Amino acid sequence: MSDTGTGTEAEALPREAPPLDDRPRDALPQKALPRTEAVPPLLPGPGQPPGSGPGGTTAVDTAPGPADSGEAPGLGSFLARAAAGTAALTVLAAVLGLVRDQAIARYFGASDASDAFLIAWTVPEMAATLLIEDGMALLLVPAFSLALTRRAEAGSAPRTDTGEPGPDPVRELVAATLPRLCVLLMAGAALLMAGAPWVVRVLAPGLADPDLAVDCTRLTAVTVLTFGITGYFSAALRAHRSFLPPAGVYVAYNIGIIGMTLALHSVWGVRAAAAGVAVGSLLMILTQLPTLLRLLPLARPRLGRLRKRAARTAPLLGVAVLAPVVLFVVSRQSQVLVERFLASTLPAGAISHLNYAQKVAQMPMVLSLMICTVTFPVVARAMADGNHEKARQRVERDLALAGMVVLLGTAVVLGYAPQIIEVLFQRGAFDTADTEATAQVMRVYAAGLLGHCLVGALSRPFFSSDRPTWFPAFAMGTGLLVTMGAGYALTYRFGVAGIATANAVGISTTALLLLMGLGTRVVPIRARAVALSLGRLAGAALVAGAAGWAAAQLVPDAVLSLAAGCVLVPAVFFLTGLALRSPEVVSLLALIRRRFTDGR
């Protein structure tokens, strides 16, 4: 990833990749790493050279960089490769997600059956946010980063009186937390299966076919266990700077859903899609397991050390640290619960229209947050090392680049929502009326995309420090209250469009609170400068979206119109950003010009 937003040219251009080394992990010598290093070493090892780690992961040179940059040589190149690989897998997963949604729309349209499945799908959506995307990552990436810092500070592993190596903080962390987590997750999945009828009544009291939703909920309940393990593996791998296996989990997940839906829809109906959710979640674990076993071969735990391990990991994953993260994530995902609760009182298909619109509209947000996913371990390690200035620079660059990506996507959605929905979904049981209703909702959702992106990006630094903070939970709770109030006020009059408006207003409230609070509580970012930069980009997005909206009417064919829009909207966006003197746009265009001028 190149820092084209606010960084210098030297930071933006990739550096030479470090040499590779294919020796087994345990065969590498070790040395202590300096406190000024930017990220944790991929392989623990005393004196290890930079190289290729097990499982296809890539280590980089972590020696101290120049005094003016403070970053490790090769870090920019590594982040660029990691971001590129993650982007490719994220795009592939998004494409397969569209194929998945197309299959469900083709066979079940926007009907009672699709509504029942989507209510059941609330379980894996909540589990994914809590256990994969946010909660587990926010807890465990800093925990693994701190364990890696302790390992590095120890230098060569100490020896006991018997000559055996001393305890490894990373392995001890896994041994003390993973078994307990699996037991808790299995109990949660079993409880959800047993209480499925009650869950459906609470989530959607006005649902036309609750029995079908109960069956689907019991099938999807297994994700409480499988997503938890997936999230744990992802956090461990990302802390070790192995990004490709975690980025590939949603590829496997969507393949499972698509395969089961296509194979069994004529026999099981929409239950086939619910079974696909369970199968896909198992594939997510298998996608990461080989790399994890090679990267972190676990020694058999000794009973005499379990109590000591638990005591050492308590500060990392204690209740005081866990509670703020869980409350924040649950409050964030509860926005979806509020939406579906309100939509269940509307005519059949309302929940489906909201779902299709949200899934497509949030694709720019997913792509933009990919940047923060790759750099989160860098921020966490900088916080663990006490290097707040480095963390500030990294966070500000991430916000600028993520904001530019999501606002460009917002402009495309605003201009070409009907064409996007027609091309993606209008076939089979999904008719023209469904396209019009979904496109209207998607344009409303687009107003909140920047807020969703900022919440995802700003929440990570809050949980990178070793001190628990309740401010993100407070900000998210405030936004949730705004969503609920606006939803109840607008749904009766405006239907699904009112629900989408409430979502946009609530999440934007949370984003504003997090932006204002981050600089004074955790990382001293320049909130006004960031807000001004994002404001210029938002202005460019509005102009580009309006241009696309006007031009879309001139081409009757949806495919041709959308293809033209993919050229027109970015051109107008960047030209407007240049006219508004947006630093991110100016830096990006200058970098592109230099690349072409130099023949690179």
Side-chain angles (χ1 to χ4, degrees):
M1 182 188 67
S2 60
D3 294 318
T4 57
T6 57
T8 63
E9 180 183 357
E11 292 167 335
L13 298 178
R15 301 179 176 91
E16 291 296 324
L20 299 180
D21 186 294
D22 292 324
R23 285 180 290 171
R25 172 179 175 272
D26 291 332
L28 297 177
Q30 297 184 346
K31 70 177 179 181
L33 296 177
R35 293 281 295 173
T36 56
E37 106 186 20
V39 286
L42 171 60
L43 303 177
Q48 87 192 59
S52 173
T57 57
T58 305
V60 301
D61 185 358
T62 54
D68 58 342
S69 69
E71 290 195 355
L75 177 60
S77 178
F78 167 77
L79 291 179
R81 293 195 303 271
T86 303
L89 289 174
T90 300
V91 171
L92 178 58
V95 170
L96 289 174
L98 289 176
V99 174
R100 173 202 68 204
D101 292 341
Q102 286 173 336
I104 295 172
R106 180 182 183 86
Y107 294 122
F108 311 111
S111 62
D112 294 342
S114 62
D115 285 354
F117 168 71
L118 291 173
I119 290 299
W121 206 2
T122 303
V123 173
E125 283 181 327
M126 175 72 81
T129 303
L130 181 62
L131 301 175
I132 300 178
E133 298 165 8
D134 286 336
M136 197 73 74
L138 293 175
L139 282 169
L140 288 174
V141 170
F144 274 104
S145 296
L146 183 56
L148 286 164
T149 298
R150 291 175 176 175
R151 171 196 281 169
E153 289 175 345
S156 52
R159 298 279 171 172
T160 63
D161 295 338
T162 60
E164 297 180 357
D168 180 356
V170 177
R171 294 186 183 183
E172 287 202 328
L173 175 62
V174 175
T177 56
L178 184 56
R180 296 180 180 183
L181 178 66
C182 289
V183 172
L184 291 174
L185 293 174
M186 284 189 288
L191 185 62
L192 183 57
M193 290 179 185
W198 180 83
V199 171
V200 170
R201 284 197 300 269
V202 170
L203 292 178
L207 198 63
D209 189 357
D211 292 338
L212 179 58
V214 169
D215 292 344
C216 292
T217 300
R218 284 176 171 150
L219 288 169
T220 60
V222 70
T223 58
V224 173
L225 172 62
T226 52
F227 280 10
I229 298 175
T230 297
Y232 191 99
F233 288 0
S234 296
L237 292 174
R238 285 169 178 160
H240 285 77
R241 295 186 298 169
S242 175
F243 293 99
L244 294 187
V249 296
Y250 285 107
V251 174
Y253 178 60
N254 287 324
I255 287 174
I257 300 176
I258 294 168
M260 293 294 289
T261 301
L262 295 179
L264 299 175
H265 73 275
S266 60
V267 180
W268 289 358
V270 79
R271 294 178 181 86
V277 170
V279 172
S281 67
L282 290 172
L283 295 178
M284 296 170 88
I285 297 175
L286 297 178
T287 298
Q288 300 182 101
L289 186 59
T291 302
L292 184 82
L293 292 179
R294 287 193 294 268
L295 187 61
L296 290 174
L298 301 179
R300 181 176 299 178
R302 297 183 178 181
L303 296 178
R305 294 182 179 175
L306 288 180
R307 182 172 299 178
K308 294 181 180 179
R309 288 172 175 173
R312 276 191 289 264
T313 56
L316 299 176
L317 298 176
V319 175
V321 177
L322 183 66
V325 176
V326 171
L327 185 58
F328 166 77
V329 174
V330 170
S331 298
R332 184 178 182 186
Q333 188 61 25
S334 294
Q335 284 202 318
V336 177
L337 303 183
V338 171
E339 289 181 16
R340 291 180 179 171
F341 180 89
L342 296 172
S344 70
T345 63
L346 299 175
I351 296 176
S352 298
H353 292 149
L354 284 168
N355 173 75
Y356 295 132
Q358 189 180 63
K359 289 294 190 296
V360 178
Q362 288 190 353
M363 286 183 62
M365 180 201 71
V366 173
L367 292 174
S368 65
L369 287 181
M370 164 201 71
I371 300 166
C372 303
T373 298
V374 170
T375 60
F376 181 38
V378 179
V379 177
R381 185 56 184 267
M383 296 295 292
D385 287 341
N387 194 340
H388 292 270
E389 176 62 19
K390 185 176 185 57
R392 179 193 67 78
Q393 294 176 358
R394 181 77 263 165
V395 170
E396 288 185 355
R397 294 170 190 166
D398 291 348
L399 290 175
L401 191 54
M404 183 168 63
V405 171
V406 76
L407 286 170
L408 177 57
T410 299
V412 175
V413 170
L414 289 174
Y416 291 89
Q419 290 77 12
I420 293 172
I421 297 300
E422 180 178 346
V423 170
L424 294 178
F425 297 117
Q426 190 173 308
R427 57 184 60 85
F430 198 94
D431 56 22
T432 304
D434 292 325
T435 295
E436 294 176 356
T438 304
Q440 179 185 9
V441 176
M442 190 165 77
R443 275 177 169 153
V444 179
Y445 266 132
L449 286 182
L450 179 60
H452 281 286
C453 174
L454 291 180
V455 169
L458 290 168
S459 60
R460 286 166 167 79
F462 275 101
F463 297 111
S464 295
S465 63
D466 56 356
R467 295 175 300 173
T469 173
W470 289 91
F471 187 79
F474 161 76
M476 195 68 246
T478 302
L480 180 61
L481 290 176
V482 172
T483 299
M484 294 173 62
Y488 277 105
L490 299 175
T491 301
Y492 177 76
R493 184 173 180 180
F494 298 104
V496 290
I499 296 175
T501 301
N503 177 287
V505 173
I507 200 66
S508 299
T509 301
T510 299
L512 181 60
L513 290 173
L514 290 176
L515 181 60
M516 294 171 60
L518 181 62
T520 59
R521 288 171 171 81
V522 182
V523 180
I525 65 168
R526 299 166 296 175
R528 291 185 179 180
V530 171
L532 179 60
S533 175
L534 293 175
R536 289 172 175 169
L537 291 171
L542 288 175
V543 174
W549 197 327
Q553 314 301 322
L554 303 178
V555 183
D557 184 79
V559 176
L560 294 178
S561 179
L562 184 57
C566 290
V567 177
L568 173 66
V569 171
V572 175
F573 178 84
F574 286 115
L575 288 175
T576 306
L578 192 61
L580 295 175
R581 298 184 180 276
S582 168
E584 293 73 33
V585 173
V586 172
S587 297
L588 177 61
L589 294 180
L591 177 62
I592 294 174
R593 184 171 61 251
R594 283 194 297 270
R595 291 287 177 88
F596 278 103
T597 301
D598 297 341
R600 288 183 285 177

